[in-house]
Structure formats: structure tokens, C-alpha cells
């Protein structure tokens, strides 16, 4: 082995050892997030028929969220992350100019408590350079900015509430507003469902252990009842008889104002039993956009006792 090869090995081995040390030292990361949440479903939305796509976005019903997560970096390109989110979603038909939604006149709010896991794929390496930023010290360039995409799966709890004429908020699920569990009606829905987070993120390193970032993620779900609206109107007299006047109001709080030229549907009112109350074709969705503060947990090497 000639002198050049020996010199090359002497240069490479410390770099490889340092890279291995950094990977061991900073595998785990704590993440605190604060941001905003928005809902995409049947109630409220833009001036159109509701969908779960961004074109139905309504900025005025944006609400806050907070989250805590733990990230495990398997290598420079992949990481796994577990998150616990809390947020609130809102919707109000009074905020849209779409005529049928306005006449329906439903409003709601619901907390979202989500526990999810996701796989992150990084577009750039998490490369550090020297342990400290020393003036006039040359070496690998430090890459502070990282971008990544993620997909995942999670479970979440929700509890839709509606605002009554007295200004109080009432839980809607126990009121069976679409005749859930009643003869000929749909089955009762669960307040726990599954979501599929999909999104993008970025991080900017402040130093060796601290970084700040931005996350944007859609949550596609398998439920259509986050807003307590999904299918068709049920017989309001039957709801009144079984669950009382408050339930009957939330089942049909319509304004009896119809678009010009279309006052009735097949000879029936828009809110008559069997008429469309929501659109079950599209499941509900919600989105989180958050600013993140990230802290890498230093790895403590275990050493054997001298005794």
C-alpha cells in the first residue's frame, strides 16, 4: 500500500467514524408544533357544493392547533414520526353564498384529537459538517435546510356540536339528527375514526440540536360525520317525538329560503324527509399547517463501570 492510499484512508476513516457517531448521537428528535386547522366537508366552505378538496377552503373558519411528536431518524433520507395533535374544526352554512347551503343553515364545531404515525422521506441529506461553527475552519459545508414529504395513518376522536338559538352549544351525535339508529335511518356513527396524513415539510437548522420548520398536511378520513352531516333528512316529526325539540331544530334549522325558480324538489320542500342533507360521496377531511420547533436528543454512550 503506497503513501497516497494510506493518507486517503487516514482522511476517510475519521469522516466515516464521525458520520456514524452523529447518526447514533442524534437519532431521536422531539417536536413541538403550533399552527392552524381547517375543515373540508359538507357544512360551510366556499361558494359551491361541498367537496373535500382545497377549492372548498374557507379561511374564516380557520382555528388553532397544537401538537407534540417524536421523530426517529433511521438514516439521512428516512425517518419515522409519531404525533399527538389537538385542534378544532368549524363550519357554518351562513358563511357561504351557495344557495342550498345557505338555506340549510347548519353550523358546527368539533375538537380533533389525533394520534398518528408517519414515514418521512427527505429530499436532501441531514448533513452536519463540524460539531461547532469555528471561524476559518474548513471542512464539509453545513446543510441547514431540509425538505421532506410524508405519508401516514392515524386514529382521531371528534365530537360535533351545534349552536342553538339560545347561544349554547349542544353535542349533536346524541341527537340523531339524520335519524341514526331509527327505523329506516342510517346506523349510528362512531366518534373515533381513521385518518391518512399526507403532506410536505421543511426544517432549518439553527445549530447542531435545534431547528425550526413548517409542516403542511391533509388528513383524509373514512368518516363523513365530523360535521354531523352526511346523507338525507329524516322525518322531523319522528325526531321531535323521540329526542325532543332541540334535536328537531338541529335536524332541520333551515331558513325556508330557496333559490329563485327552484322553490321545491319534486313537489317537496328542500328539507323534506328523504331529501339530500349532505353528500356521502365525499368523506370529510381536515388540514393542519404548523410551525415546528425541533430538538435532537443527544445520544449518551454507555460505558462499563471500572469496578
Amino acid at each position: 500500500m503506497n503513501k497516497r492510499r494510506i493518507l486517503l484512508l487516514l482522511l476517510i476513516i475519521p469522516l466515516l467514524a464521525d458520520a456514524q457517531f452523529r447518526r447514533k448521537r442524534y437519532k431521536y428528535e422531539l417536536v413541538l408544533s403550533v399552527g392552524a386547522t381547517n375543515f373540508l366537508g359538507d357544512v360551510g366552505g366556499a361558494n359551491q357544493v361541498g367537496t373535500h378538496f382545497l377549492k372548498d377552503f374557507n379561511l374564516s373558519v380557520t382555528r388553532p392547533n397544537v401538537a407534540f411528536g417524536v421523530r426517529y431518524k433511521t438514516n439521512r433520507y428516512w425517518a419515522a414520526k409519531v404525533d399527538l395533535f389537538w385542534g378544532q374544526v368549524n363550519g357554518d352554512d351562513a358563511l357561504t353564498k351557495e344557495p342550498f347551503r345557505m338555506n340549510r343553515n347548519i353550523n358546527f364545531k368539533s375538537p380533533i384529537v389525533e394520534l398518528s404515525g408517519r414515514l418521512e422521506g427527505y429530499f436532501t441529506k441531514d448533513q452536519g459538517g463540524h460539531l461547532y461553527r469555528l471561524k476559518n475552519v474548513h471542512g464539509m459545508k453545513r446543510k441547514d435546510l431540509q425538505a421532506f414529504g410524508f405519508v401516514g395513518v392515524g386514529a382521531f376522536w371528534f365530537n360535533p356540536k351545534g349552536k342553538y338559538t339560545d347561544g349554547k352549544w349542544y353535542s349533536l351525535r346524541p341527537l340523531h339528527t339524520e335519524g341514526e339508529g331509527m327505523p329506516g335511518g342510517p346506523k349510528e356513527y362512531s366518534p373515533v375514526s381513521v385518518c391518512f396524513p399526507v403532506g410536505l415539510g421543511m426544517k432549518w437548522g439553527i445549530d447542531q440540536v435545534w431547528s425550526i420548520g413548517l409542516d403542511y398536511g391533509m388528513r383524509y378520513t373514512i368518516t363523513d360525520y365530523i360535521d354531523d352531516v352526511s346523507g338525507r333528512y329524516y322525518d322531523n316529526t319522528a325526531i321531535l317525538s323521540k329526542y325532543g325539540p332541540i334535536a328537531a331544530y338541529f335536524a332541520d334549522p333551515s331558513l325556508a329560503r330557496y333559490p329563485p325558480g327552484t322553490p321545491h324538489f319534486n313537489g317537496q320542500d328542500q328539507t323534506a324527509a328523504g331529501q339530500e342533507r349532505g353528500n356521502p360521496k365525499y368523506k370529510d377531511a381536515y388540514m393542519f399547517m404548523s410551525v415546528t420547533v425541533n430538538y435532537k436528543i443527544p445520544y449518551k454512550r454507555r460505558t462499563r463501570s471500572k469496578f
Side-chain angles (χ1 to χ4, degrees), residues 262-297:
T262 57
H264 295 83
F265 295 77
N266 298 323
Q268 295 181 320
D269 289 340
Q270 178 188 343
T271 61
Q275 295 295 334
E276 185 180 281
R277 189 170 184 261
N279 184 358
K281 179 181 178 181
Y282 297 114
K283 303 301 182 183
D284 292 337
Y286 57 96
M287 66 183 84
F288 281 14
M289 179 173 283
S290 305
V291 175
T292 66
V293 178
N294 312 279
Y295 173 72
K296 294 179 181 178
I297 303 174

Side-chain angles (χ1 to χ4, degrees), residues 104-147:
R104 184 178 57 183
N105 193 40
I106 293 175
N107 66 77
F108 90 102
K109 68 177 182 179
S110 176
I112 298 287
V113 180
E114 174 196 310
L115 179 64
S116 59
R118 71 191 198 187
L119 179 66
E120 299 176 343
Y122 286 75
F123 308 130
T124 55
K125 292 182 179 180
D126 183 12
Q127 185 173 339
H130 293 293
L131 183 61
Y132 304 103
R133 295 182 177 181
L134 302 177
K135 187 177 181 181
N136 298 323
V137 174
H138 299 284
M140 291 184 300
K141 292 183 179 179
R142 181 180 178 84
K143 293 184 178 179
D144 292 321
L145 185 63
Q146 285 186 279

Side-chain angles (χ1 to χ4, degrees), residues 97-100 102-103 256-265 270:
K97 295 181 180 179
E98 201 284 319
F100 296 105
M102 286 185 67
N103 180 65
R257 300 171 186 169
Y258 306 102
T262 57
H264 295 83
F265 295 77
Q270 178 188 343

Side-chain angles (χ1 to χ4, degrees), residues 31-69:
V31 184
L32 178 65
S33 306
V34 179
T37 309
N38 205 290
F39 174 72
L40 299 173
D42 292 291
V43 177
N47 301 324
Q48 60 175 24
V49 175
T51 75
H52 67 309
F53 296 109
L54 284 175
K55 63 182 182 180
D56 202 31
F57 178 81
N58 188 334
L59 182 63
S60 64
V61 293
T62 301
R63 295 296 183 269
N65 73 64
V66 294
F68 176 76

Side-chain angles (χ1 to χ4, degrees), residues 49-305:
V49 175
T51 75
H52 67 309
F53 296 109
L54 284 175
K55 63 182 182 180
D56 202 31
F57 178 81
N58 188 334
L59 182 63
S60 64
V61 293
T62 301
R63 295 296 183 269
N65 73 64
V66 294
F68 176 76
V70 178
R71 177 180 286 117
Y72 176 75
K73 200 75 182 287
T74 59
N75 57 46
R76 288 179 174 175
Y77 291 104
W78 296 98
K81 187 166 178 274
V82 176
D83 289 299
L84 178 63
F85 283 94
W86 175 89
Q88 181 173 295
V89 291
N90 285 51
D92 192 340
D93 285 341
L95 300 177
T96 176
K97 295 181 180 179
E98 201 284 319
F100 296 105
R101 277 177 160 179
M102 286 185 67
N103 180 65
R104 184 178 57 183
N105 193 40
I106 293 175
N107 66 77
F108 90 102
K109 68 177 182 179
S110 176
I112 298 287
V113 180
E114 174 196 310
L115 179 64
S116 59
R118 71 191 198 187
L119 179 66
E120 299 176 343
Y122 286 75
F123 308 130
T124 55
K125 292 182 179 180
D126 183 12
Q127 185 173 339
H130 293 293
L131 183 61
Y132 304 103
R133 295 182 177 181
L134 302 177
K135 187 177 181 181
N136 298 323
V137 174
H138 299 284
M140 291 184 300
K141 292 183 179 179
R142 181 180 178 84
K143 293 184 178 179
D144 292 321
L145 185 63
Q146 285 186 279
F148 58 89
F150 62 84
V151 294
V153 63
F156 69 99
W157 171 84
F158 62 101
N159 180 31
K161 295 182 178 182
K163 191 174 183 179
Y164 192 51
T165 54
D166 60 4
K168 296 180 180 179
W169 291 86
Y170 291 81
S171 292
L172 298 174
R173 182 170 171 266
L175 301 181
H176 304 261
T177 57
E178 291 189 355
E180 297 94 340
M182 298 176 68
K187 66 179 182 179
E188 296 184 49
Y189 63 88
S190 171
V192 177
S193 188
V194 176
C195 64
F196 300 94
V198 180
L200 298 169
M202 58 184 296
K203 295 193 301 176
W204 181 77
I206 299 173
D207 58 23
Q208 200 73 13
V209 296
W210 289 98
S211 64
I212 58 175
L214 184 67
D215 267 24
Y216 168 76
M218 286 290 300
R219 267 66 172 174
Y220 294 100
T221 79
I222 63 171
T223 182
D224 196 31
Y225 281 103
I226 294 177
D227 52 9
D228 193 60
V229 175
S230 177
R232 299 183 178 277
Y233 285 95
Y234 195 78
D235 183 357
N236 199 262
T237 303
I239 293 176
L240 174 65
S241 176
K242 187 165 185 177
Y243 295 107
I246 294 179
Y249 169 81
F250 282 120
D252 181 11
S254 61
L255 302 174
R257 300 171 186 169
Y258 306 102
T262 57
H264 295 83
F265 295 77
N266 298 323
Q268 295 181 320
D269 289 340
Q270 178 188 343
T271 61
Q275 295 295 334
E276 185 180 281
R277 189 170 184 261
N279 184 358
K281 179 181 178 181
Y282 297 114
K283 303 301 182 183
D284 292 337
Y286 57 96
M287 66 183 84
F288 281 14
M289 179 173 283
S290 305
V291 175
T292 66
V293 178
N294 312 279
Y295 173 72
K296 294 179 181 178
I297 303 174
Y299 174 78
K300 294 183 180 180
R301 300 183 67 182
R302 295 182 179 180
T303 57
R304 293 183 179 179
S305 173

